[in-house]
Amino acid sequence: LFGTSGLLMSTYYVHYLFMVWITKNSEIIPTNNGQSLSSIFRVVSKYRSFILYRAPQAFLNASSQGLPVIMLSMYFGLESAAFYALGRAVLALPINIVGQAIADVYYGITAKKVREGVGIYSSLLKLTLGLLIVSIGPFFILYLYAPLIFSLVFGEQWELAGVYSQQLSFWYLMGLINKPSVSAISLLKINQFYLIFELISTVVRVLAIALGYYFTKSDVSTVLIYSFVGVFLNVFLIIFVLQKVKNRYG
């Protein structure tokens, strides 16, 4: 367990060192061999919030993804946890791939605009709305037909996984739409805020599952409550970042 956690944390640190390179690659590329190491350390020190805050935030986010599985198994049994895990995995795989590609490309382009003094609020707003317009159709279809799709692909016994995916589709839609805003957080240098936001979000999501169980006694209703809490948190984050970008970069 500790070895896996250490490897995962190391992966996040490498990722955010790469983000530093994108942000200020001109400072890292050495003018001669004698200055390369000092240049790297100087830029890493300047952008240390990547390492101090974003890597732990990403690690916490990834770790907290397993909490619903644990809690659902406690409240509703291992079968419910297995259905949830399958539904989440099917949703997460394409969204993570597409979302990460969008985030990395957008970050590189936006970092360049910031260095050149070009306003980024308009582009961030347009990309966010564009993702919403493009994505809402497929997610709406998923919401309508997820149980049927899962039954056809995995078998009738996995229909409940499709029902869970149906409920989670709202949250994962917002998880895709918020990728540009998440990328802008580093440019705004509010990585400490994002770590605190992640901590609070984890606690709120855990409470959502617990309260869903105690008040509804229904696994489907509990997953739906969990999903809508995730939607609310993502909407808050998008609006917060857009306002920050508008005030700082215009």
Side-chain angles (χ1 to χ4, degrees):
L1 177 61
F2 289 109
T4 303
S5 299
L7 179 60
L8 185 59
M9 180 63 87
S10 299
T11 301
Y12 287 123
Y13 278 122
V14 170
H15 172 74
Y16 286 107
L17 283 173
F18 177 69
M19 295 286 278
V20 169
W21 181 83
I22 295 176
T23 305
K24 203 68 174 178
N25 60 349
S26 61
E27 292 187 29
I28 294 180
I29 298 176
T31 54
N32 59 62
N33 292 335
Q35 295 179 341
S36 59
L37 188 59
S38 62
S39 298
I40 292 173
F41 281 116
R42 185 171 64 252
V43 176
V44 168
S45 176
K46 183 176 180 180
Y47 295 94
R48 59 187 178 274
S49 64
F50 278 97
I51 299 173
L52 293 176
Y53 303 120
R54 284 304 290 273
Q57 175 276 322
F59 177 73
L60 176 62
N61 178 269
S63 301
S64 66
Q65 297 302 313
L67 288 174
V69 177
I70 296 172
M71 296 184 70
L72 286 173
S73 67
M74 290 170 52
Y75 294 143
F76 302 105
L78 292 175
E79 187 177 81
S80 292
F83 286 138
Y84 174 88
L86 176 63
R88 184 195 64 183
V90 171
L91 280 175
L93 182 60
I95 290 173
N96 287 342
I97 293 173
V98 173
Q100 192 58 55
I102 292 172
D104 289 344
V105 171
Y106 176 78
Y107 186 88
I109 294 172
T110 307
K112 182 179 179 181
K113 286 184 177 181
V114 170
R115 290 197 301 271
E116 294 173 350
V118 178
I120 62 172
Y121 172 75
S122 178
S123 62
L124 176 58
L125 180 61
K126 287 179 181 178
L127 181 55
T128 301
L129 294 176
L131 282 173
L132 175 61
I133 293 170
V134 170
S135 304
I136 197 167
F139 274 94
F140 183 68
I141 294 173
L142 176 66
Y143 175 72
L144 292 178
Y145 300 109
L148 176 61
I149 294 171
F150 272 74
S151 296
L152 293 174
V153 174
F154 299 104
E156 292 183 3
Q157 68 273 23
W158 291 97
E159 182 179 357
L160 184 56
V163 175
Y164 287 162
S165 295
Q166 199 175 39
Q167 313 308 320
L168 291 171
S169 60
F170 302 105
W171 179 30
Y172 274 87
L173 170 62
M174 296 308 304
L176 177 62
I177 295 170
N178 81 350
K179 293 299 182 183
S181 296
V182 171
S183 295
I185 285 174
S186 295
L187 298 173
L188 292 167
K189 298 180 181 179
I190 54 173
N191 293 309
Q192 186 176 9
F193 154 80
Y194 195 31
L195 176 58
I196 295 171
F197 173 82
E198 192 64 55
L199 287 168
I200 295 173
S201 297
T202 299
V203 173
V204 171
R205 291 199 299 266
V206 168
L207 288 175
I209 296 175
L211 294 175
Y213 167 72
Y214 285 114
F215 284 104
T216 70
K217 303 297 182 182
S218 166
D219 54 340
V220 175
S221 297
T222 297
V223 172
L224 181 61
I225 293 170
Y226 176 79
S227 178
F228 270 112
V229 167
V231 170
F232 172 79
L233 291 169
N234 278 309
V235 169
F236 169 81
L237 184 65
I238 291 171
I239 294 174
F240 180 86
V241 171
L242 280 169
Q243 190 61 45
K244 284 286 186 180
V245 168
K246 184 177 182 179
N247 292 339
R248 185 170 302 182
Y249 295 115

